[in-house]
Amino acid sequence: QVQLVESGGGSVQAGGSLRLSCAASGSIFRINTMAWYRQGSGNQRELVAKFTSVGTTNYADSVKGRFTISRDNAKNTVYLQMDSLKSEDTAVYYCNAELVPSGSILNMRYWGKGTLVTVSS
């Protein structure tokens, strides 16, 4: 069983910062891409930031220059540092990993349960 567990969500005032963490655990052979998505009220889930296995990163235009994704491969953990938060960043943030479970040859996609970030203006 593979699990992704997020932490670090909460409430903050506009202009503030939060750091999200997501740890992958279980029988994992290799983790390829780790990413953060978010879903605000009434909106579709959208990609926020992605960190590939070769070290490249991608960001949604709306968060470029404010959010930073990083990854600790030794801990199977991905982080999202969120600075200069705006009210429109309010959403449930989901961790996503594309990985190969132990004993498998398939690259599979897993999701965390999400953590709520609320930014008040």
Side-chain angles (χ1 to χ4, degrees), residues 1-78:
Q1 285 283 357
V2 174
Q3 283 189 318
L4 301 181
V5 179
E6 302 105 334
S7 61
S11 297
V12 65
Q13 289 193 328
S17 298
L18 283 174
R19 188 189 193 214
L20 305 183
S21 300
C22 170
S25 62
S27 299
I28 299 170
F29 173 65
R30 183 180 67 246
I31 299 178
N32 295 314
T33 298
M34 298 190 83
W36 289 96
Y37 286 72
R38 69 185 179 186
Q39 187 167 15
S41 178
N43 296 331
Q44 291 186 332
R45 192 173 297 189
E46 62 175 358
L47 175 67
V48 176
K50 179 188 298 186
F51 198 117
T52 71
S53 59
V54 295
T56 58
T57 57
N58 293 291
Y59 295 91
D61 287 344
S62 59
V63 307
K64 282 180 182 176
R66 300 188 298 120
F67 290 11
T68 303
I69 190 170
S70 60
R71 182 169 165 174
D72 185 335
N73 290 328
K75 296 181 179 180
N76 288 344
T77 298
V78 65

Side-chain angles (χ1 to χ4, degrees), residues 17 19 105 113 119:
S17 298
R19 188 189 193 214
I105 60 171
K113 293 183 178 180
V119 184

